[in-house]
Structures are given as structure tokens and as C-alpha cells.
Amino acid sequence: MNNPTQPGILCAKSIKKSFRSPDGGSVEVLGGVDLEVPSGHSVSLVGESGAGKTTLLNILAGFELPDDGSVLWDGVRIDKFSNSQQARRRAGFMGFVFQNYCLVPELNAVENVELAARIAGKFGKSARERARELLDAVGLGGRMKHLPSQLSGGEKQRVAIARAIMNSPRIVLSDEPTGNLDEKTGESVMNMFFKLCSEREVALLLITHNPDFAARCDSTLHLSAGKISK
Amino acid sequence: MKWWLYIAFKQLFPSGKFASFFALVSILGVALGILGLYGTQSVMNGFHAQIGKKLRDTTGDIIIRDYGRPMYNLDGLRSKLKSVDGIKSVELMASGPVMMLVRNVPSFPLLRSFDTLSGECAIPIRENNFVKMGDIDMLDDDSIIIGQRLAANLGISVGDKVEVFSPTVLDRIKKDEVPMPVRLDVVGFLATDYSEADSSVALVSLRRMRELYNLGEGAHSVILRLEDGLDPTSFADKIRKDLKAKYSVSTWLTSNEGFLRVIKMEKVMMSLIIVLIIIVASFSICISLYTSVLRKTREIGLLGAMGARPGQIALMYCVQGFFIGVAGSLTGLALTWLILYFREPIVELVVGREALIEFYHFARLPVKYELGDAVSACGFAIALCTLAGLLPALRAAKLKISEAMRNE
Ligand SMILES: Nc1ncnc2c1ncn2[C@@H]1O[C@H](COP(=O)(O)OP(=O)(O)O)[C@@H](O)[C@H]1O
Ligand SMILES: [Mg+2]
């Protein structure tokens, strides 16, 4: 499935990252990681807790700088961008779904989904319509006006997924999206998530502890001892 | 609408709710501060205007003196001043302390002359009905009109007789003469509603006063009343120039300068104390917003992930402070106007009408709104609230997305 002539939508080349530990020493978390997510594909990233999965995601998203190596979004090195350029590009290029739903508590479901478009500077009637359509697609057609406090965990994660898809990103990065959900809810949320991504041809990088979810991705990467293995 | 403005607004007024508790309480806090500040200032302005009017009405607009010496040969000056446009009346006035005996009880009122022959007077005795229980026209060389509080203190009624000794009795005593008092009939009470005057001043005819003070045809001062609306200060400057320093020229403003300055200081001091309310309100706004930043760390991180720039995130919080400042100020102004509009029933309820009349001689709590007070109070509140938003804003803008998302 991996077409070598077509470069990945998201690439990382020999990423290295160490953290200074509180006692003054230095701990290497990533020791030269290469990674490629092809356009429209889903890739799962698994590894023990503390293996550096979240750190890698932060670097891929541009939240954190690697000590060494480079990240490419759609073939362009992101260290070429200024911070605000990067922020602006990210808004249209990447979506995020985290373990914590991070919904704005004062906004209702539609408004939370819309917010992605507002921040990207695109807002209007069509955005509102798209937000409604997405909420329908994630099965929350009847919860448009609910505030986050009036939604269950699974429902909140569905809103977060709709929000991640709102700006039609090329890729969604997701860090343990079912971490806070019970097994059954997690299952149904992931079913919907996978379906939405493949229908809309959005690539997915999924960090998960669940082997079933990992197996349902087009490919799986193992992160251990700071290196990636297939 | 910019998204940061949108979220700022939604945080203050969340969907499906009238307003957040924080917004309501903060706006109310600022409004109370404005009410305290602007309300006090307006009432103080009212008092000052009233007191100013009373000072002017009991002093006269412009006072010309010969540096404390008696003045003689005033006919030329009088007719010259009378021909000046804008001068309503020119009064030759004599005044000074005397000892007054009533049923052998001494008191020391300040006697002021009234020119019964010409009727020329620089204070509005007739216009403002300053004489009660009698009439200014009943004053002659053998009668006296006594300040009503003084009269009340001494138990004097109209028709009583009082004995008056002037300081010139000292000369007679030195010459071994027997000092004889002047016996005067009380024909009315002076009621200016300015307690200082009403408790210490008595009126006699100019001729009687000249005799008491051995003035001949002289006077102690020439007092001018101007047409309403003229500025006494610039008028006094003009007259001073014309008189070439022969006499000293002062106005009711300069001759009451100390008192007026105390009044002004009083307003400044009160304002400084009450400003603390606004400062405290802004502190609590700062703390609330700061707590909100800490509580929403992950959400702020996600805004960043979605492409929000630090400056915009900072604006999101500054705008909240600014908005609370504006809404609080407007509410405060409205509250002030509302409460001061209904001040009469409120004052009556709290202190009683009697107290107001007794202590201040105002039948009605005086109020004077000044645009400058409103603008400076609101400007101060808005600036302070915006500043209160700045600290949380900087904190929010400094959040790193990766650290924010790791926040527990
Ligand atoms: N800001 C940081 N400072 C120091 N150490 C860090 C920091 N962030 C992460 N680490 C360390 O990096 C390692 C990997 O963390 P993380 O990427 O969160 O792992 P995972 O997501 O795979 O569980 C951990 O040992 C963690 O202690
Ligand atoms: Mg992690």
C-alpha cells in the first residue's frame, strides 16, 4: 500500500530529543526516529508508557523542537516557518484529538466545532453548516446545542473528532483518544473515527495502547528505546 | 468576529446562560466602585456649589479695601464704579466686631452695615429674602437685625432691646469718660442659611456703624455685586489695574481661598479613599482571570494547536478585563444617576430630613454632575480592569502547547 514514489504527507527524519532530568543529567527519549505517514493512510504508533510517543507527536506537530532531525509537512520542512506561519499552516493542515477532550466549556457542541474554522480565519454560514453536518456524521445530530458539561465522555470525544476534521485537514494526530473512555464507548468512538477518516481521505496518526485499534490501521509502528521498528 | 473576541465574550456570557457568575460579580464590583466614586464626587460638587453660592451671597463679588485702613472720600470712586458695565451695585460697607449685651449676657457678633439711605447693597438681602420675622426696610439708625442662630442661642425675639459697645469705648475709658452703650431694637433676623453668617453677624444701618467706629463719612470697604455670569476674577484684575494699587482688590473666591481649598482637598481625599474600591475590584478580576487561565491550561493549549497565536490568546484575556471595565463603568454611572435621582426618599430613610437641614441647611441633598468626574472615574476603572486582564493574558500567552497538553 505504501507507495514509495509519493512522499508522505507527514515525514520525520532522524529525530533526536533528550530531556534534562531534574537531577541535572540528560535523558534521551528519541534517538533518531524516521517516520512517514502516506497521504490518506492510517498509522498507529504503539509503545510502552514513557517510550516517547507523546514527545514524538509534539515534535511532529511543531509544538516542540527536536534536538536534531527535521519534520516535513506535505514535503516542506517546518523549521523554515516562523512561529506564526507555522500556526497558520497547522490550522488547515492538521487536526488533533487528545485523550482529554479539551472542549471550550462555554461553547456548545456546534460552536466548539466551528471554533476550528474561526481560528483558521474562515467563518461564515458555510462553516456553521459544515459543523452541523460533521456533528451529524459523528452521531450527535441531536446534541448540537449541548454544552460540554451536558455531554458524556464519549460524546465529548465525538465533538473533539468533528472539530479535528472541521478544517478538512490532511492528517489528524491523535494521542490515546480512548484513554478516558470505557471499552464499549471507546470501541464505538473509534469505529466512527476510522470511518470518518477513511471516507474523507484524512491520514491518521494514532497513538494507542489498544492492540485491536492499532491493528485496524494500515500500518503499525513500534517505538521502543528511542527507535522505531515496524 | 475575531475568534478571540468571540471566546472572550462567550466566557463572560456563555451559550445558554445570561452571564457567567464571574462576569456578573466583576461588573457589579466595578459598578459599585464607580457608584462610590462618582456618586461621592457629584454630591461633593453639589455641596461645594451650594457653599460657594452662600459664600458669594454673604461676601459680595469683589471687595476693595485700603489694606485694612478705613477709606475716606469715596464719592469719586463710587460714581466711577457705578458707571462700569457689569457692576450691579456698589456698596460702601463698614463692619467690625462689637460687644453686645442681652440681659447682661455678653456676646461678640460681627456688625455689618447696611446703607439704609441709598439702599445700595452688594449682597442679595432683598432678592433672597435674607431677613425673616421682619423686613430690611424696617432697619433704621436705632435698630438691628440679628443672625437667626445667634438670636436663637441668646434667646432674643423681635422687639427685644440689645446694648452694643464698640471698640471705640476703649478711647473713652482712657479719657476717663463713662462708656455708654447704644440701645438698639431688634427688628428682624438675618437668615442666609449659611450658618457661619447666621450665627455671628448682625446688621445695623451704615450711619449707626460709622458712628460706632468713628468713621465720619468713611467706610471699611467698597463691595461690588456683578451681573450674574460674569467672572469676578478677571473683573477684579481689570479694576485692580484701573486703581493702580491704591487699594487692594479681592474677590469672594480669594477672600475665602483657604476654605474653598479645604473643600477641594476634601473631594480629592475622599476620591483617593474610594478609588480603593475600584482597585480592589480590579484585583479580584485579575485573580479570577488568572485562576481561569490555570484551570483552562489544556484548552488554551488546544487553541494553540488549532493555530491560535500567543498574541491572540493574550488579547482574549485582555478583552475580558476591558469589557468588564466598560460594562462596570456604564452600570456604575447608571446606578449613580438612578440613586441620586431618588436621593430624597433615600436620605430621608437613612438620616432623616431634619438632620440634613440642621447640619447643612440644605433642604435637598445638592448634586452637581461634572463630565470630567465621570470621564476620569470610568477611564480609571477601564484602564485598571484592562491591566487586571494583562497579567493572566501574559501567563496564557506564555504557555507552551506541549506543556499545556501535559498539564494534569
Ligand atoms: N518536558 C519534559 N522534561 C523532562 N522530561 C520529559 C519532558 N517531557 C517528557 N519527558 C520524559 O520523556 C519521556 C517520554 O515521555 P512521553 O513522550 O510522554 O511518553 P509516552 O507518551 O510514550 O508515554 C518520559 O520519560 C518523560 O519523563
Ligand atoms: Mg503519552
Side-chain angles (χ1 to χ4, degrees), chain A residues 55 84 90 98 105-106 111 163, chain B residues 10 15 296 302 304-305 309:
Chain A
T55 305
S84 64
R90 193 193 301 122
F98 294 106
E106 293 86 3
E111 290 166 342
R163 179 179 61 187
Chain B
K10 283 290 187 180
S15 300
K296 290 176 196 275
L302 195 97
R309 272 163 282 140

Side-chain angles (χ1 to χ4, degrees), chain B residues 314-370:
Chain B
L315 274 173
M316 189 170 96
Y317 282 93
C318 271
V319 159
Q320 291 190 42
F322 175 77
F323 182 80
I324 287 170
V326 171
S329 295
L330 295 181
T331 315
L333 290 185
L335 266 180
T336 310
W337 287 322
L338 191 75
I339 288 181
L340 289 185
Y341 183 81
F342 291 108
R343 61 188 183 274
E344 274 187 278
I346 295 173
V347 167
E348 223 159 301
L349 210 70
V350 179
V351 289
R353 178 182 288 271
E354 295 310 312
L356 193 67
I357 296 174
E358 187 177 346
F359 291 113
Y360 290 103
H361 295 267
F362 301 141
R364 201 162 187 248
L365 189 65
V367 164
K368 188 168 168 232
Y369 299 111
E370 273 176 21

Side-chain angles (χ1 to χ4, degrees), chain B residues 1 26 30 63 74 117 122 131 135 229 248 275 277 291 300 303 311 361 389:
Chain B
M1 202 196 298
S26 310
V30 175
I63 304 104
L74 293 167
L117 295 180
V131 178
D135 196 289
S248 76
V275 147
I277 300 179
T291 319
I300 294 168
L303 292 178
H361 295 267

